[in-house]
Amino acid sequence: MTIREIQERILKLKEEKDFCILAHSYIKREVIEIADIVGDSFKLSRDVCGAKQKNILFCGVHFMAETAKMLNMDKHVYLSNRIAGCPMAEQMEPEMLLYMKKQEPDRAVVAYINTTAALKAHCDVCVTSSSAVQIVKKMQADKILFIPDCNLGAYVKKSVPEKDIKLVQGGCPIHASVTVEEVEAAKAAHPDALLLVHPECVPKVTERADYVGSTSGIINYAKKSDAKQFIIGTEYEIAETLQYECPDKEFFVLSKKLVCPNMKLTTLVDVLNVLEHPENAYEIEMSEEEAAASRKCIDEMLRLG
Ligand code: 13P
Ligand code: SF4
């Protein structure tokens, strides 16, 4: 079958079998094309709540499907590729967090959404990269423990200096791999381009950016800007998407390392297989108790965001 034929079969099956397909913006373009909802982590977790279909197929990584499940316990939620995980989400065990909470019980715990449901159950509020600064500003607590991304945490700390924010050592191995040397080389190669960077990059990189923002923040900034050239400091798919959508502008990838292998696992054939045989697909299982415990901090994020 050609890519177009697989896409047509998927579009037909998703109607017949009542599926809503969600895709994170880092997913391959041919998969994004068949999705009902595409976006960054915040948009996906907000919009999944409005899905009318009784089945949800998540094209992304495990913690995203888990979040969709805890918000939609009456639905079947599947992950397109069962081994697609996010290494950052698995960096911290609940026991480690419980130990830290015991050491400093007066700190409110803010968790990046890239965390497991088991860890979320012990946090006060979740944030995404697009909502982190706004939510931390709005929180009543002045003393905060921010987990697990120390780079996003450092960006929040700098943007909200009035709060006492403690960080832990963790982060995205893809974004954090970008070096200052790569920034200097990209700027030298494209001196007229604006540098747009994701806050999961290290502070030395974000400090040199013209704009720091989430996946959708970067997309919106580039689309609205009068500038004609941009160096994109987030997953490579975003530069590609922008190049398709803004043919009159030029987009350069900040580093060749900005490819998330986990997000790239999902193929059109994975999606087709789930729709053809949902009984063999990877379905997220969660008890009502687990969902209720971990949903509290997502509900708080949606309330404050
Ligand atoms: P956002 O979707 O919030 O920009 O986060 C990027 C990311 O790395 C998702 O795993
Ligand atoms: Fe995880 Fe980083 Fe990949 Fe996002 S880009 S899924 S944070 S490894």
Side-chain angles (χ1 to χ4, degrees), residues 42 108 110 125-127 130-142 144 156 159-160 162-163 165 300-305:
F42 186 72
V110 176
V125 62
C126 248
V127 296
S130 60
S131 62
V133 170
Q134 182 193 349
I135 287 178
V136 170
K137 268 189 187 157
K138 275 195 191 169
M139 285 172 73
Q140 290 209 317
D142 287 326
I144 284 162
V156 174
S159 310
V160 194
E162 65 274 21
K163 300 220 172 180
I165 302 177
E300 190 61 359
M301 169 184 91
L302 296 171
R303 190 181 73 80
L304 291 172

Side-chain angles (χ1 to χ4, degrees), residues 26 61 63 85-88 114 172-175 200 235 260 262-263:
Y26 294 171
V61 288
F63 77 83
C86 166
M88 166 161 30
N114 297 41
C172 165
I174 313 304
H175 287 86
E200 287 176 11
E235 218 276 344
C260 175
N262 314 290
M263 290 285 193

Side-chain angles (χ1 to χ4, degrees), residues 62-64 66-67 70 86 88-92 97 110-121 123 125-127 147-149 297-298:
H62 191 267
F63 77 83
M64 297 179 174
E66 233 182 21
T67 306
M70 67 182 79
C86 166
M88 166 161 30
E90 279 140 42
Q91 278 163 358
M92 200 172 189
L97 175 59
V110 176
Y112 193 19
I113 198 163
N114 297 41
T115 40
T116 59
L119 196 68
K120 285 184 177 84
C123 301
V125 62
C126 248
V127 296
I147 59 163
D149 187 345
C297 68
I298 296 284

Side-chain angles (χ1 to χ4, degrees), residues 45-233:
S45 47
R46 188 196 58 200
D47 291 2
V48 71
C49 302
K52 300 274 177 289
Q53 296 87 338
K54 67 174 191 288
N55 302 296
I56 291 167
L57 171 52
F58 217 110
C59 302
V61 288
H62 191 267
F63 77 83
M64 297 179 174
E66 233 182 21
T67 306
K69 179 66 187 177
M70 67 182 79
L71 293 168
N72 292 276
M73 286 299 284
D74 55 331
K75 299 187 182 188
H76 295 284
V77 177
Y78 302 90
L79 179 63
S80 49
N81 185 304
R82 68 179 67 225
I83 63 163
C86 166
M88 166 161 30
E90 279 140 42
Q91 278 163 358
M92 200 172 189
E93 295 291 337
E95 291 69 29
M96 204 190 292
L97 175 59
L98 289 173
Y99 177 78
M100 294 183 85
K101 283 177 65 158
K102 222 172 176 178
Q103 302 295 307
E104 294 192 69
D106 55 339
R107 282 189 192 272
V109 182
V110 176
Y112 193 19
I113 198 163
N114 297 41
T115 40
T116 59
L119 196 68
K120 285 184 177 84
H122 304 289
C123 301
D124 295 294
V125 62
C126 248
V127 296
T128 66
S129 54
S130 60
S131 62
V133 170
Q134 182 193 349
I135 287 178
V136 170
K137 268 189 187 157
K138 275 195 191 169
M139 285 172 73
Q140 290 209 317
D142 287 326
K143 288 186 80 181
I144 284 162
L145 172 65
F146 190 99
I147 59 163
D149 187 345
C150 64
N151 296 315
L152 175 64
Y155 176 69
V156 174
K157 204 173 155 77
K158 198 175 152 198
S159 310
V160 194
E162 65 274 21
K163 300 220 172 180
D164 169 2
I165 302 177
K166 184 170 181 167
L167 309 176
V168 295
Q169 194 62 45
C172 165
I174 313 304
H175 287 86
S177 73
V178 179
T179 62
V180 174
E181 289 70 30
E182 285 172 306
V183 172
E184 300 307 343
K187 284 188 168 203
H190 310 290
D192 297 329
L194 293 182
L195 175 63
L196 317 185
V197 160
H198 197 283
E200 287 176 11
C201 292
V202 299
K204 281 195 166 127
V205 169
T206 50
E207 275 159 19
R208 287 165 167 77
D210 296 292
Y211 171 79
V212 181
S214 69
T215 302
S216 39
I218 289 175
I219 293 175
N220 294 337
Y221 185 96
K223 284 185 176 171
K224 283 190 194 143
S225 170
D226 292 332
K228 289 288 172 209
Q229 294 190 332
F230 304 88
I231 301 164
I232 302 298

